[in-house]
């Protein structure tokens, strides 16, 4: 689940910018989206929603050889990241 604070990416006065960040994450399994933004999304043409995130193909493109996520490293990130608490 991805709790987030959604903001108009192109400015509050630009029509449709309220959901730009959400559309950019199309394909993410779970997001917390407030009802008013769900209403905006449901009013869009289905062709304007294009899946942009794919865990399998994006994982192939991500190749940081120095990073291995283990239970210990995850616990360390969790403890040091203020957003995780």
């Amino acid at each position: 689940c991805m709790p987030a604070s959604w903001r108009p990416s192109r400015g509050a006065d630009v029509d449709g910018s309220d959901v730009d960040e959400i559309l950019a994450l199309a394909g993410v399994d779970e997001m917390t989206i407030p009802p008013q933004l769900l209403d905006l999304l449901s009013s869009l043409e289905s062709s304007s929603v294009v899946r942009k995130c794919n865990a399998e193909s994006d994982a192939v493109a991500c190749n940081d050889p120095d990073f291995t996520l283990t239970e210990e490293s995850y616990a360390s990130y969790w403890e040091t990241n203020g957003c995780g608490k």
Side-chain angles (χ1 to χ4, degrees):
C1 188
M2 182 180 163
S5 175
W6 306 106
R7 295 176 185 84
S9 61
R10 295 174 285 153
D13 59 334
V14 178
D15 190 37
S17 67
D18 293 346
V19 293
D20 283 349
E21 292 178 343
I22 298 167
L23 292 173
L25 292 169
V28 170
D29 287 342
E30 297 179 13
M31 289 188 272
T32 303
I33 302 172
Q36 68 272 22
L37 295 181
L38 286 174
D39 290 341
L40 283 171
L41 288 167
S42 68
S43 70
L44 296 175
E45 296 283 332
S46 61
S47 62
S48 65
V49 180
V50 178
R51 183 180 184 142
K52 296 183 180 179
C53 297
N54 182 303
E56 291 176 11
S57 63
D58 293 344
V60 171
C62 180
N63 56 9
D64 185 348
D66 299 328
F67 180 79
T68 303
L69 187 61
T70 63
E71 187 173 344
E72 183 180 323
S73 64
Y74 177 83
S76 175
Y77 286 121
W78 181 263
E79 290 300 318
T80 59
N81 184 338
C83 291
K85 294 182 180 188

